[in-house]
Amino acid sequence: TQLLEQSPQFLSIQEGENLTVYCNSSSVFSSLQWYRQEPGEGPVLLVTVVTGGEVKKLKRLTFQFGDARKDSSLHITAAQPGDTGLYLCAGVRGTYKYIFGTGTRLKVLA
Amino acid sequence: DTGVSQNPRHKITKRGQNVTFRCDPISEHNRLYWYRQTLGQGPEFLTYFQNEAQLEKSRLLSDRFSAERPKGSFSTLEIQRTEQGDSAMYLCASSLVVQGNTIYFGEGSWLTVV
């Protein structure tokens, strides 16, 4: 059973466009992380959100945790080819159990 | 210490052989995790250690899989009698509870069973 659904699964856009990736669940999480993964490498942490309604910004990336702590979004402004990769959300259940989403594969064309 | 270290990075083995992967976590991280990831999927939880104690094992971890963390530092994941379905990337991650338990991944160990 996939507890975290990400959408879209694939996204191909032109450089300079904006995009939003969604991470949805029917379960409540104590915190949620976003990672980016390059082919053949491990996921690299981008951000952790903990409080319902929390918004965090990382340069051109904006992350939001839903008020009920069941969902999250990642918005990228003016995407660049260097943003290309697999974006993964991961929710924490209890104190240590990380459940990963299905992933969104982003390709930004120059 | 700059991060979680895994080796080997790549392993090709014949079906039926045993393989072992090693993970060195970030120094002083007391929690260590193993995940498995196949192409096009997110990582799937395999097992979790707090210090040297293995506190949870996923049903994905059949009896051919065994993980250890003998001194609460590095960990090994052994797969016996490998099958083609074991082909995947095996990811190790570590965390420290006082840092909000954010987990940090290694670069992964790719296994190809032929």
Side-chain angles (χ1 to χ4, degrees):
Chain A
T1 302
Q2 188 64 48
L3 295 179
L4 273 172
E5 298 286 344
Q6 286 186 238
S7 61
Q9 282 188 283
F10 301 96
L11 192 55
S12 181
I13 61 172
Q14 293 292 324
E15 182 177 5
E17 293 184 1
N18 301 333
L19 67 118
T20 302
V21 177
Y22 299 94
C23 175
N24 294 299
S25 175
S26 57
S27 301
V28 176
F29 295 103
S30 55
S31 68
L32 191 139
Q33 283 75 34
W34 284 92
Y35 293 82
R36 187 172 81 194
Q37 187 176 23
E38 306 278 351
E41 303 292 329
V44 175
L45 178 70
L46 295 175
V47 78
T48 298
V49 286
V50 179
T51 306
E54 183 177 3
V55 176
K56 280 192 174 178
K57 291 193 174 183
L58 185 67
K59 297 183 180 178
R60 295 176 293 100
L61 279 60
T62 301
F63 305 86
Q64 184 162 8
F65 201 12
D67 291 341
R69 291 186 288 128
K70 292 182 179 181
D71 53 80
S72 181
S73 64
L74 158 60
H75 183 79
I76 301 178
T77 303
Q80 298 177 1
D83 296 327
T84 294
L86 177 68
Y87 288 82
L88 294 161
C89 64
V92 182
R93 303 191 75 186
T95 59
Y96 67 86
K97 191 75 171 286
Y98 281 68
I99 307 296
F100 279 83
T102 48
T104 294
R105 193 165 296 280
L106 171 66
K107 187 168 186 177
V108 182
L109 305 170
Chain B
D1 191 332
T2 58
V4 179
S5 176
Q6 292 187 244
N7 68 82
R9 292 291 316 279
H10 300 89
K11 179 73 176 178
I12 300 174
T13 190
K14 290 184 178 180
R15 189 174 52 187
Q17 297 294 306
N18 299 343
V19 296
T20 299
F21 299 112
R22 176 179 169 123
C23 171
D24 288 273
I26 294 172
S27 295
E28 298 179 357
H29 275 196
N30 56 347
R31 291 182 170 178
L32 187 146
Y33 309 76
W34 284 100
Y35 282 80
R36 181 171 69 188
Q37 186 177 24
T38 53
L39 284 174
Q41 300 294 319
E44 296 175 295
F45 173 82
L46 291 180
T47 190
Y48 153 71
F49 290 85
Q50 180 148 327
N51 300 311
E52 67 275 8
Q54 188 175 19
L55 297 185
E56 184 171 346
K57 292 172 61 173
S58 164
R59 282 174 289 181
L60 292 174
L61 218 61
S62 75
D63 56 7
R64 296 184 297 105
F65 288 71
S66 62
E68 295 182 344
R69 195 183 183 197
K71 297 183 179 179
S73 56
F74 73 92
S75 175
T76 57
L77 176 67
E78 181 183 17
I79 309 173
Q80 296 181 324
R81 305 181 303 281
T82 52
E83 302 173 355
Q84 286 186 321
D86 297 332
S87 296
M89 182 156 72
Y90 290 85
L91 290 162
C92 178
S94 70
S95 70
L96 184 62
V97 176
V98 294
Q99 290 181 346
N101 201 44
T102 297
I103 63 173
Y104 299 88
F105 282 91
E107 294 183 321
S109 292
W110 274 106
L111 173 65
T112 302
V113 181
V114 297

